[in-house]
């Protein structure tokens, strides 16, 4: 079984479905797994990913409902120059919305001033109401940054533990402490469970991590002892079958697909269509390298990161021997499909856009409009 975990090589199997655990309020215990699958060679046991939220697609299990479909951010910056080398359309969209919000807020304050409204609570209330739609959009379109680690639960379940960077930092401290005491928390036969605690809300959420301790009886004596999580042969097989290759966690979309998604304005049928497009980026495992390397653990300090990924727009897979023609054909087919989808989206939008009664800022077009009464509270001034 040692071949399933760090220290030996193994082909990265493709994996489609796995359990994801989140650290919730209270206490939970997980046994971290050593590096697995394609990450064995590098010994990497944790992968960092930035994931975009905010788009709802049809729920496959219940088509009468919608479900959030997330995708990985493709933005890449050069840590030295701070220049954006690969620009993510969704990140740009979020920036635009933030700018729009600032502009609108200023407008509202100017209007209030012009009308002699000086009570700051009143101004605040007006602003909150009129910024509600954009604030909701920004909240929904969260860019979530998390670490992913394969773990085992106390019940012998396997899956991926998703944790915030602050939780990972707390964990790293404990791992270091274990190692200083010559205890390897990952060891196949003698690894340990960690106890994760979450408390507080929002920005004040805090995480603490400790080595899990239990009352255990040894030679007739009861004592608090470290909770071990030995990985038997059978558990190793289960881990191999149920844990993903961490480099495949998260849906990868191409830049064009993300651009299309931004243009959907969130219509679930259109979101379905974009996610249903054949995915250039996912086709070859080799092609994912550029996307994952930067995100890989190379701990906190991005400056210390490994060879800076080239400023690539990713993905022309090199060297599949022979048929460049096929790659071009694929590309052409995909482009055709995207063009069709774009045309469909444009056609669908036309009848939907009756000239609005109230003036709408350019970037707002196509966004669900808030009920008019709010607007009337503070008539548009100049
Ligand atoms: Zn992004």
């Amino acid at each position: 079984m040692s071949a399933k975990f760090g220290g030996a090589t193994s082909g990265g199997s493709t994996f489609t479905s796995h359990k994801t655990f989140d650290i919730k309020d209270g206490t939970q215990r997980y046994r971290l797994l050593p590096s697995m699958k394609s990450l064995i060679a590098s010994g990497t046991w944790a992968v960092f990913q930035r994931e975009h939220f905010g788009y709802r697609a049809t729920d496959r299990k219940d088509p009468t409902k919608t479900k959030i479909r997330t995708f990985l951010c493709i933005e890449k910056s050069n840590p030295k120059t701070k220049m954006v080398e690969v620009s993510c359309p969704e990140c740009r969209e979020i920036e635009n919305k933030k700018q729009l919000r600032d502009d609108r807020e200023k407008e509202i304050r100017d209007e209030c001033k012009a009308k002699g409204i000086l009570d700051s609570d009143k101004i605040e209330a007006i602003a909150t109401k009129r910024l509600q739609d954009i604030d909701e959009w920004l909240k929904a379109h969260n860019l979530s940054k998390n670490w992913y680690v394969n773990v085992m639960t106390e019940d012998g379940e396997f899956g991926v533990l998703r944790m915030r960077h602050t939780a990972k930092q707390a964990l790293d401290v404990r791992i270091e402490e274990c190692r200083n005491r010559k205890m390897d928390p990952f060891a196949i036969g003698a690894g340990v469970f960690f106890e994760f605690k979450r408390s507080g809300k929002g920005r004040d959420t805090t995480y603490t991590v400790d080595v899990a301790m239990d009352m255990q009886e040894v030679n007739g004596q009861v004592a608090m002892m470290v909770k071990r999580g030995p990985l038997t042969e059978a558990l190793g097989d289960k881990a191999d079958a149920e844990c993903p290759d961490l480099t495949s966690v998260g849906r990868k979309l191409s830049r064009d697909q993300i651009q299309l998604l931004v243009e959907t304005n969130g219509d679930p049928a259109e979101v379905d269509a974009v996610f249903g497009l054949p995915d250039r980026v996912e086709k070859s495992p080799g092609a994912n390298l550029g996307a994952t390397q930067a995100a890989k653990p190379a701990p906190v300090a991005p400056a210390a990161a490994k060879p800076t990924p080239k400023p690539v727009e990713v993905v022309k897979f090199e060297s599949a021997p022979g048929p460049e023609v096929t790659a071009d054909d694929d590309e052409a087919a995909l482009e055709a499909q995207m063009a069709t989808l774009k045309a469909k989206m444009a056609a669908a939008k036309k009848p939907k856009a009756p000239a609005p009664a109230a003036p709408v800022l350019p970037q707002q077009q196509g966004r669900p409009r808030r009920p008019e009464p709010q607007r009337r509270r503070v008539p548009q001034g100049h």
Side-chain angles (χ1 to χ4, degrees), residues 71 74 251-255 257-258 261 274-275 279 281:
F71 59 97
I74 58 166
R251 177 66 193 266
K252 297 176 179 78
L253 294 182
S254 70
R255 188 163 190 254
Q257 279 175 301
I258 298 173
L261 206 52
V274 174
F275 273 92
D279 193 339
V281 185

Side-chain angles (χ1 to χ4, degrees), residues 252-320:
K252 297 176 179 78
L253 294 182
S254 70
R255 188 163 190 254
D256 291 345
Q257 279 175 301
I258 298 173
Q259 180 61 46
L260 264 183
L261 206 52
V262 166
E263 289 168 19
T264 63
N265 288 318
D267 178 334
E270 292 175 0
V271 173
D272 288 349
V274 174
F275 273 92
L277 284 172
D279 193 339
R280 256 189 292 206
V281 185
E282 270 183 344
K283 255 180 208 165
S284 146
N288 292 340
L289 274 173
T292 40
Q293 236 164 35
K296 250 200 268 180
V300 200
K306 315 193 190 170
T308 321
K310 287 173 228 151
V312 215
E313 283 284 325
V314 205
V315 199
K316 282 263 174 180
F317 335 116
E318 7 155 49
S319 82

Side-chain angles (χ1 to χ4, degrees), residues 50 52 71-75 87-92 94 143 258:
R50 291 169 303 150
H52 280 297
F71 59 97
L72 298 179
C73 178
I74 58 166
E75 189 113 317
S87 170
C88 169
E90 175 68 3
C91 285
R92 296 292 80 71
I94 292 169
L143 177 63
I258 298 173

